[in-house]
Amino acid sequence: MQLIVCKTADEAALRAAALIAEQIRSKPDSVLGLPTGSTPIGVYSKLSSMYAAGELDFSRIVTFNLDEYLPIAQSDPNSYCAFMHRHLWDKVNLAPENTHIPCGEIEIEDAEDECRRYDAAIKQAGGLDLQLLGVGRNGHIGFNEPNDFLQLPTHAVTLTESTLEANSPLFENPDDIPRHAISAGLGSIFGAKKIILIALGKDKKAALSAILNNTVTTDAPASLLKLHPDLTVICDTDAYEQ
Ligand code: GLP
């Protein structure tokens, strides 16, 4: 594991964006796994600026997002689909057919079909070259919540109270947050050739320490990432200093 401790969140975003830019330049048809949440916003902003400055070309890049609420309309401003349009997809020259996100416009009973379709699409694209990750306060990655066991395939999940509490303030009416989601499993995340995880702010201290300590546990899914052969963890001092 490579650990990069940055003084500020902005510096962390810059370091992550530089690594992603390097991936895009060295393999212009890279398949990228992308997260949502507040953490990657700075990275997407830097990548968009590099594109605007003519420094990056996304025309052959393929992206797969980690997760989506269930149920939620894609046009709902709180959907992760809308988030991706706002922060990256509409700001760079990604071909719309090359951007993928699980469809949340279904009932939970139909989630299994959507999950199998999503994993097949990742496989058909050749798997992920690089997976960018944030981390939940409780150590979740994507929506792989702490549990007795973790799932390899894309799957439907019931969100934990901790995650609902962390994410519901973003909804105009916090009670409107969907209670379920579709999330990539540990299979496609671990299958990525490179993983970059970003942890920012004091709220992420426990999650970061679960990654940096010497144990792995499904109680903090992010702790398993230290088993990956090409993991870079980028954090700020607020998350790092114990
Ligand atoms: C959400 C997402 C995760 C994300 C996490 C942290 O629940 N499903 O992919 O990493 O929350 O979010 P934030 O970056 O806003 O702290």
Side-chain angles (χ1 to χ4, degrees), residues 105-162:
E105 294 186 341
I106 54 172
E107 296 305 320
I108 190 154
E109 303 79 58
D110 301 320
E112 187 56 23
D113 284 352
E114 173 58 10
C115 292
R116 298 294 61 78
R117 182 196 70 77
Y118 203 65
D119 279 343
I122 295 174
K123 192 174 172 195
Q124 200 183 356
L128 305 174
D129 290 300
L130 185 154
Q131 173 72 64
L132 180 65
L133 290 172
V135 62
R137 294 176 196 179
N138 62 2
H140 74 239
I141 42 177
F143 274 130
N144 292 276
E145 296 277 25
N147 206 336
D148 293 341
F149 59 90
L150 298 172
Q151 297 208 35
L152 291 173
T154 297
H155 57 284
V157 290
T158 301
L159 301 178
T160 61
E161 283 307 317
S162 151

Side-chain angles (χ1 to χ4, degrees), residues 1 55 198 219 226-227:
M1 180 203 314
E55 295 165 12
I198 307 175
D219 288 338
K226 60 171 82 82
L227 299 173

Side-chain angles (χ1 to χ4, degrees), residues 35-40 66-67 80 134-136 140 142-143 163 167 204:
T36 49
S38 54
T39 305
L66 272 173
D67 46 17
Y80 284 165
V135 62
H140 74 239
F143 274 130
T163 299
N167 293 7
K204 302 296 171 67

Side-chain angles (χ1 to χ4, degrees), residues 37-88:
S38 54
T39 305
I41 290 178
V43 182
Y44 296 152
S45 161
K46 309 265 180 224
L47 290 173
S48 303
S49 301
M50 286 183 207
Y51 166 71
E55 295 165 12
L56 274 185
D57 176 19
F58 289 80
S59 61
R60 294 168 60 207
I61 295 294
V62 177
T63 67
F64 284 91
N65 264 81
L66 272 173
D67 46 17
E68 178 59 284
Y69 288 115
L70 178 69
I72 201 161
Q74 292 192 335
S75 57
D76 186 316
N78 288 302
S79 74
Y80 284 165
C81 181
F83 173 101
M84 289 309 296
H85 276 290
R86 274 197 305 277
H87 292 288
L88 186 70

